[in-house]
Amino acid sequence: MDYKAKEIESFWQKYWLDNRYFEPNSNEDITKPKKYVLSMFPYPSGRIHMGHVRNYTIGDTFARYYRRMGYNVLHPIGWDSFGMPAENAAIKHAVHPKKWTYENIAYMRNELRSLGLSFSVEREFATSDPDYSKFEQEFIIELWNRGLLYKKKSHLNWCPKDQTILANEQVIEGHCWRCDTEITQKEMEQYYLKITNYADELLADLNKLDQWPSQVKLMQENWIGKSRGLKFSFQLETSSLSLSLKNIEVFTTRPDTIYGVSYIAVAPEHKLIDDLLNADSLSDEVRNEILTIRKTSPRDRATQEKSGVPLNINAIHPLTGEKIAVWTANFVLVDYGSGAVMAVPAHDERDFDFSKKYNLPVKIVIKNKNSNIETVLPFTDDGLIVNSDKFSGLDSNNGREAVIREFENLKIGEAVINFKLRDWGISRQRYWGTPIPLIHCKTCGTVPEKIENLPVSLPDDVQITGEGNPLDHHQTWKHCKCPVCGGDAIRETDTLDTFVESSWYHLHYTSPDVKNIAFGNTDYWLPVDHYIGGIEHAILHLLYSRFFTKVLRDIKKVNIDEPFKHLLTQGMVLKDGAKMSKSKGNVVDPDEIIEKYGADTARLFILFAAPPTKELEWNDSAVEGAYRFIRRLALKSDFAFSENNINKILELPNIDHSKLNKNEKFARRKVYEAYKRANDVFSKTYTFNTLIAGVMEAMNGLEEQSNSEIWTEGYWVLLNILEPIVPHISWELSKKMFNLANLGEISAPDEVFQLDQITLGVSINGKNRTEISVSPDADEVEILQVAKKSVAKWLEGKTIIKEIIVQKKLINLVIK
RNA sequence: GCGGAUGUGGUGAAAUGGCAGACACGCCAGACUUAGGAUCUGGUGCCUGACGGUGUGGAGGUUCAAGUCCUCUCAUCCGCACCA
């Protein structure tokens, strides 16, 4: 048969669509086992790229495999369609974000279809659809009512010219990306989700994710950053001053170094500084220094040299009563712990650098346990406590507990747990996002919109210029009535971070009616069995969706703790050793590849060139190779089935294995080995490249013989294996030859794996010398006899001191 | 700096501690061809004329046996980056 990729592919794509072949069975009394396969949904940027092709091909391969194995498969797609690029396009090309977004979706939907991806059409949605916003706004209101959503002031990048907030990536070397104006920090009220309430559970439940890559779990663990330590206060010597603050609270994970404190450092934003500025007790020089640091963004501070100023005020060490100087320093973070640290320069690198710069005292309180080794400062490891009164002589571990107990007994401190994880800021001062469904009323305060008024939809009549927030300028949208008292009120003009939409879209796909129902049979469909996406989402998206799942569980919407059972993080697609990008000019356009070779070739190459988790190097001639293989598959089908044959073959031919010759037996074995390997790959290793190699070996084996029944059987099995990988050609041939009867489960006959002769390697002292061929029933004595004979020339004049036989593999003779 | 991953032919890559390089790309030689960027046959880690030797970033170690396990080290990539 000739291979005409285009004809075959468009025929089957239409066939699948017309027959609703990819729609899951949504009857409520579902008895079939299910699989939920999900590739991360795309942002509709305009055109698909090779990363998408890889992502969706991997997902599709799982989905098709499970369908073939008889599962009820949910394999949906949608669009993460809110976000900044639409507004950028609006600014640049004067096109409305909605128009731009939905046109992109229409185009990309066709691109994905041309790859033969088996997505459910009926469950597709875009997160910018008002129906989706409606459900999301309901959750947001619920969270507000439960106190999990709250307002807090925080600092944002502000462009004074455009009167707009800028995202970090819009700030280029401290200047606005549009107008190049120097940005400033502006304090504004922002909305936060209390993800920190779930910090402990998010950390602990990582242990349940046994099918996640360990490095993703580790990244999340570090991001959550749990640490245990001592919280206590230093009394301030404030006799000469009237300050509202009488003491400074600090947090330390090293209570064992408590006797080594030589100064205290507070963050420049610490309340104590406000007090001192108000009390006017600081010199102009110190005051200016503090104000300079305060103006510096946290990002810049991180790269600067450590610096600070003394505040000319002392604190009292709670155990020794010593006076300790209080400083402010640029490296102390205001929003971690209590915004102040006890500095132990001898045993902390930051404190050490700082003390060196300002000549502050350094007191050694920890020594290396091996006393022969001189202690090089700063010594930050655990060790033996010295110079610490009654704690001297303890090791760090015991010392920490002892000091904590002492503070707790004296009721001047306590053991506490701290997290690096901060609450999730979800408000954005942008147009193209889900409106936050809250209303500000002068008498009632901030109140949620009535549920029956949802969704709060975006107004279409806006001008997007990049200056200010269009919603804030829209008078008829902005002004409304208070849902509580009916008085004049103002809508919240902030919209939600798009990470909110992507935190629960996987749950919405369970709905058989995505426009009207938030969730379908969640108990049946959840969790997602295979989630496929880029490693770049290892922290934020995956943490937020885990969080959101737990929140929705707590408000009784779903009944699971973790949303994604198996996570497969795909590698990047490279060309010439670098990530494909326009600026490098190394982009390969999926549409062109499909046009030239067809979708099956693109899919086969992408799965064959590397295992899915590794980087994939694009190689034009290897793509040709993939194409050649598919064409060979089409051409050689003539050996298995004649097109003149009107009767299709509806069951496997009955082959008498014992009557076959060597090559025929070999071909059969290779075919069924490929089948076995395919099942292994889908259930354990996910290395589709080796599965394809197995199929190629089987094809090579078939070509070494000419028995047409074996060809027929070979095609029956190989098309079955290949269907998830190269669906179009597989359906085309399966239909022609077998009326699709081969696309179900297959059982491999045992006889094909039985060998007449087995080959064993013979080694001497571990070095491979030759190989022998024996009957599979040969006993050890016989095997050794043959083996020794085969290596006689190496044994001459030597004595064998050990004989090792590894079943079906090799013989190793140790000689002297 | 901390953490993680990866290092195997000319290239992409295979290999439950058991014959390293399966499968492909490329290359070489040949066949069929007016022609070949089609197809088919054979070859292809490196050194050597051959016997043979050698070989999985480098150095050690464990083992009858190491790409695989352990220690140290180098390189590349990725993530986090003052979290007290």
Side-chain angles (χ1 to χ4, degrees), chain A residues 581-680:
Chain A
S581 74
K582 277 183 203 153
S583 59
K584 289 200 192 77
N586 62 348
V587 176
V588 180
D589 179 9
D591 290 351
E592 280 173 27
I593 297 294
I594 294 166
E595 176 64 27
K596 191 168 172 192
Y597 301 103
D600 281 341
T601 295
R603 297 170 60 121
L604 182 67
F605 167 75
I606 262 188
L607 293 175
F608 183 55
T613 54
K614 272 191 91 169
E615 289 178 342
L616 182 144
E617 174 71 29
W618 191 266
N619 179 330
D620 289 327
S621 48
V623 175
E624 296 262 4
Y627 178 74
R628 281 204 295 270
F629 176 78
I630 295 172
R631 198 174 53 185
R632 182 156 68 111
L633 189 73
L635 294 175
K636 296 283 163 90
S637 68
D638 293 347
F639 291 118
F641 181 82
S642 151
E643 293 210 43
N644 303 327
N645 193 345
I646 303 157
N647 299 315
K648 298 186 193 298
I649 298 157
L650 296 176
E651 55 186 39
L652 270 170
N654 205 352
I655 296 169
D656 185 348
H657 195 68
S658 61
K659 297 216 171 106
L660 302 179
N661 68 32
K662 204 176 137 198
N663 283 355
E664 290 166 343
K665 285 181 177 173
F666 180 78
R668 284 196 89 193
R669 180 159 61 85
K670 282 293 177 185
V671 164
Y672 283 104
E673 275 178 1
Y675 185 74
K676 265 184 146 173
R677 187 187 252 179
N679 288 334
D680 262 13

Side-chain angles (χ1 to χ4, degrees), chain A residues 95 98 196 261 347 359 379 413 425 458 473 491 599 615 650 691 797:
Chain A
V95 52
K98 190 190 233 175
T196 51
V261 179
H347 308 295
N359 265 321
F379 180 73
L458 292 170
H473 296 156
R491 262 186 211 296
E615 289 178 342
L650 296 176
L691 182 165

